[in-house]
Amino acid sequence: MEETSLETVTLKLTAAGPFGGATGTCQGRLINVFGGIPGETVSARILREAGDLTDAIVKEVIEPSPHRRQAPCPYFGECTGCQYQQIDYPHQLELKRESVIDALTGHGITAPVNPAVPSPDEFGYRNHARLTVRRRANRFGFINRVTRRFVPIDHCLIMAEGVNSLLSALDGRCGETSQFSIRYGVNTDEFLIQPKLKNPDITVTSGQLWYHEILCGRRFRVSSPAFFQVNTPQAENLADLIGERLALTGAETIIDAYAGVATFAALLAPRVKKVIAIEESSAAVKDARVNIKGLANVELLEARTESVLPHLGKLADAVIIDPSRNGCHPGALRILNRHPASRLVYVSCNPEALGRDLATLTRGPWIIEDITPVDLFPQTYHVETVVTLKYDPERELAFNRRQELVLASASPRRADLLTAIGLQFTIAVSGVDETPVIGLSPDEQALYHARSKASAVAKTMCSGTVIAADTVVDLDGEILGKPTSPASAATMLQRLHGRSHRVVTAVAVVDAATGETLADMRVSRVTMRHYTDDEINDYVNSGSPMDKAGAYGIQDKRFNPVERVKGCYHNVVGLPVCLLLDTLLKLGVHPKADLKRIPGDKCPDCRRWQSY
């Protein structure tokens, strides 16, 4: 569309965008417009350029959506806490359903998605508020997500009436703190305000350690740091839906993983034989112990889900998982696939993490039976999703066969890395000609050879997973392969002396039974030290450079050729184990790896795996 100025653009909004916006393009720029609705033509004011995405806000609606309404909140736009107030509620539900479909499709999940379950209340539902205080003005409010500007408020339309009453009592009186939170029991009229406020003009108490709420007729204690659903009536509907999806008969043993304050465990206990609730937060466990009193069939374990599930094996008939926004720990997914129950219900507040985890689970022994979004957060783009999966023995058989690993490489360094992190594998050299292919870039070269090696070995097998890798040293666009002679090795080292270059390692994994192939690559930036000609000659005479791309090994301690690395260290050795484990997980392979057994580096993905 035509740009009218440097500050304002006119564009057609063609799709839902991140953070509840709608996106369109203008002069090659992707623009995410707050307050827009897909299908509209709007004039938008640019707020921020952030990498590949430009943030903007609706200035004028030129061609409105039939679903547009006047946002009822006077703070809408200044405050970005709500993103959908300009959209009629039925269409909000459809947009949330579409967001789940899009996220799952992006991870290869094509199962049908049910219409979203509407919230009993569009406004006045939220039982938890977190506010920022500007001490000089002695005002509280919210921070705009894009501009970071402070937006003072005196009430919030999505907050429960009891929360807004407490805000009125605090207005102009809480300048002693920079932030505070309120949690309110809509069915008990109890509340919690943290931190404790000392201003004598405040007429409500603060500093409570916990409050109580009633769900489905049962009383729950909730401490300040513990998680609890923010929409009480819809949380009751969510609990009923989970019970329905579990198809309970009363004879089941179920596991409630990521149990929190034991909400689902306590509500489902009267309907099953036994509940095993698992929670690692000590604050939540203290609440849970109170909340399960009188329920003799609930066993509470204070532990990480991924550390307990292996010991439970197939003890349970069904498992409920309700993880944080980050989704499931890979170790938990591995156990759910290796020791499946008959049914699994996954409750997720993040469609992207849900799609990633479902892709892993459905490559294991699970079939998706039902996907139902539940709207716990009206007026925002957030959505809860309940997915029901059932165990399939044929998928389990294929999954187990896929766990057998074969390394398609003669590289001792790659074998040593896999052995060091505890993987069990066999070796089958591919025999693929690694001569550079004319016309391919260094990145394309690495991916081509990694795929070729993995495919060549996979064709000789009936089952199992083949791992292959290819490392390319890229000096200003020129590929430095393995030296063909001592003289060529010395020449390469002289050219690299004191300079920076790229090291690209591609990893390919193939399911030998199906031929399915996944491939990706990592790039590290390597700066060589100022070594001497004598050091080069000694290194070349040792023979060590001859089987290495670029004629050097970063791990060669005597020569020690590298000054610094930006990126994954193991990528330069020849196998980025973090990328390998991520790729195997996407294929449905769950090796029990321990990256703590190899030296750490500054690669965030390696550190993530080391923390597991």
Side-chain angles (χ1 to χ4, degrees):
M1 302 294 291
E2 180 183 357
E3 184 174 322
T4 58
S5 74
L6 291 176
E7 306 298 332
T8 304
V9 296
T10 299
L11 70 165
K12 178 79 172 181
L13 302 176
T14 57
F19 307 107
T23 59
T25 57
C26 179
Q27 295 187 346
R29 290 185 298 173
L30 181 64
I31 301 177
N32 185 45
V33 182
F34 179 92
I37 306 173
E40 292 186 326
T41 300
V42 302
S43 171
R45 180 165 52 89
I46 301 298
L47 298 175
R48 180 181 66 175
E49 303 268 357
D52 296 333
L53 187 69
T54 298
D55 283 303
I57 188 170
V58 169
K59 183 178 180 182
E60 179 186 358
V61 179
I62 298 170
E63 295 179 9
S65 163
H67 306 292
R68 177 169 284 277
R69 68 182 182 187
Q70 180 65 40
C73 179
Y75 305 115
F76 181 75
E78 278 189 275
C79 170
T80 52
C82 292
Q83 306 84 36
Y84 280 179
Q85 285 200 18
Q86 82 284 15
I87 305 173
D88 64 53
Y89 189 55
H91 194 56
Q92 289 186 32
L93 296 176
E94 182 55 29
L95 287 176
K96 295 185 182 192
R97 176 177 177 270
E98 290 174 2
S99 74
V100 173
I101 293 172
D102 289 345
L104 301 191
T105 302
H107 290 276
I109 306 296
T110 56
V113 177
N114 296 325
V117 177
S119 171
D121 302 304
E122 286 185 48
F123 294 94
Y125 65 85
R126 190 174 173 92
N127 59 35
H128 188 183
R130 289 185 296 268
L131 294 105
T132 297
V133 180
R134 286 291 182 262
R135 294 188 178 187
R136 285 186 179 179
N138 203 6
R139 296 294 309 277
F140 53 71
F142 300 115
I143 302 296
N144 184 291
R145 183 191 65 81
V146 177
T147 66
R148 309 310 299 167
R149 290 176 180 170
F150 174 72
V151 182
I153 69 160
D154 54 20
H155 70 285
C156 176
L157 288 185
I158 65 171
M159 296 297 169
E161 181 180 349
V163 173
N164 279 319
S165 295
L166 293 168
L167 290 178
S168 296
L170 296 174
D171 194 15
R173 303 177 180 88
C174 53
E176 65 191 84
T177 185
S178 59
Q179 289 183 326
F180 68 90
S181 66
I182 297 173
R183 305 183 75 161
Y184 176 73
V186 298
N187 291 327
T188 61
D189 202 33
E190 293 186 24
F191 62 88
L192 175 159
I193 299 174
Q194 282 287 352
K196 183 174 179 60
L197 303 172
K198 300 177 182 179
N199 187 339
D201 294 333
I202 296 176
T203 58
V204 295
T205 58
S206 62
Q208 298 92 336
L209 298 179
W210 59 73
Y211 73 106
H212 292 91
E213 179 59 294
I214 294 174
L215 286 185
C216 301
R218 185 167 187 88
R219 188 176 179 87
F220 289 87
R221 190 185 87 172
V222 183
S223 296
S224 176
F227 170 79
F228 199 70
Q229 294 288 3
V230 300
N231 186 333
T232 302
Q234 189 71 322
E236 294 178 319
N237 292 335
L238 179 65
D240 287 340
L241 179 65
I242 292 169
E244 176 185 315
R245 295 294 185 262
L246 289 172
L248 301 174
T249 66
E252 294 86 1
T253 294
I254 66 172
I255 294 175
D256 180 11
Y258 310 100
V261 299
T263 307
F264 297 143
L267 293 179
L268 294 174
R271 302 170 59 181
V272 300
K273 178 182 177 182
K274 183 176 182 179
V275 182
I276 302 172
I278 308 168
E279 174 57 48
E280 66 174 303
S281 165
S282 58
V285 168
K286 289 178 182 177
D287 289 336
R289 295 194 190 284
V290 174
N291 297 333
I292 63 173
K293 280 186 177 179
L295 297 172
N297 64 335
V298 179
E299 179 182 358
L300 179 61
L301 303 177
E302 182 175 352
R304 297 177 69 180
T305 294
E306 57 273 13
S307 67
V308 173
L309 280 179
H311 303 287
L312 299 177
K314 292 189 175 182
L315 173 66
D317 301 291
V319 178
I320 305 167
I321 52 174
D322 184 12
S324 68
R325 286 190 61 80
N326 292 330
C328 270
H329 186 294
L333 293 173
R334 180 177 66 243
I335 299 306
L336 290 168
N337 276 349
R338 286 189 178 275
H339 304 283
S342 296
R343 299 179 76 77
L344 172 64
V345 172
Y346 190 145
V347 184
S348 171
C349 61
N350 183 348
E352 181 62 28
L354 175 65
R356 179 200 67 210
D357 290 350
L358 287 180
T360 299
L361 291 168
T362 54
R363 289 181 184 277
W366 300 102
I367 296 175
I368 294 175
E369 197 172 68
D370 181 90
I371 304 173
T372 302
V374 180
D375 188 19
L376 271 81
F377 318 99
Q379 317 311 323
T380 79
Y381 70 93
H382 299 288
V383 60
E384 201 92 352
T385 309
V386 178
V387 181
T388 310
L389 303 100
K390 66 178 181 180
Y391 164 73
D392 182 270
E394 291 186 7
R395 284 178 177 256
E396 183 178 36
L397 183 61
F399 169 77
N400 289 335
R401 288 174 175 168
R402 201 181 303 133
Q403 307 310 305
E404 299 173 5
L405 302 180
V406 177
L407 176 62
S409 176
S411 166
R413 291 167 296 282
R414 291 182 181 131
D416 288 346
L417 272 173
L418 294 188
T419 300
I421 63 175
L423 298 193
Q424 294 184 348
F425 60 96
T426 58
I427 293 176
V429 180
S430 68
V432 167
D433 181 9
E434 297 185 46
T435 303
V437 179
I438 296 174
L440 295 185
S441 70
D443 296 6
E444 293 168 338
Q445 194 82 41
L447 285 166
Y448 173 79
H449 279 132
R451 289 193 183 102
S452 298
K453 295 175 194 176
S455 177
V457 172
K459 288 176 181 178
T460 68
M461 301 164 48
C462 296
S463 64
T465 297
V466 181
I467 300 166
D470 190 73
T471 301
V472 170
V473 173
D474 170 13
L475 181 64
D476 299 330
E478 179 186 351
I479 296 174
L480 301 185
K482 296 176 182 178
T484 56
S485 67
S488 67
T491 299
M492 286 185 189
L493 290 169
Q494 287 165 349
R495 294 183 63 192
L496 292 170
H497 169 267
R499 298 180 62 185
S500 294
H501 61 276
R502 298 168 73 242
V503 175
V504 182
T505 298
V507 172
V509 297
V510 178
D511 182 346
T514 65
E516 182 178 4
T517 303
L518 298 178
D520 204 347
M521 65 180 188
R522 282 284 187 275
V523 178
S524 299
R525 191 77 183 175
V526 178
T527 301
M528 304 293 271
R529 71 178 179 88
H530 292 274
Y531 38 74
T532 67
D533 288 345
D534 287 342
E535 288 179 297
I536 291 176
N537 291 333
D538 289 344
Y539 188 46
V540 171
N541 290 335
S542 73
S544 185
M546 302 309 296
D547 66 338
K548 299 177 176 67
Y552 76 90
I554 190 174
Q555 71 279 6
D556 289 330
K557 299 301 183 183
R558 287 187 62 187
F559 184 46
N560 193 26
V562 174
E563 181 178 293
R564 64 179 178 273
V565 175
K566 185 177 181 181
C568 180
Y569 171 89
H570 305 296
N571 184 54
V572 187
V573 175
L575 185 62
V577 288
C578 53
L579 174 62
L580 171 63
L581 294 175
D582 285 341
T583 309
L584 286 173
L585 198 61
K586 291 177 183 177
L587 195 67
V589 180
H590 297 264
K592 191 172 182 180
D594 182 5
L595 267 66
K596 295 175 183 176
R597 297 165 61 174
I598 57 177
D601 59 31
K602 296 180 180 180
C603 171
D605 291 322
C606 283
R607 290 202 302 267
R608 172 171 56 85
W609 276 100
Q610 285 172 338
S611 68
Y612 292 158

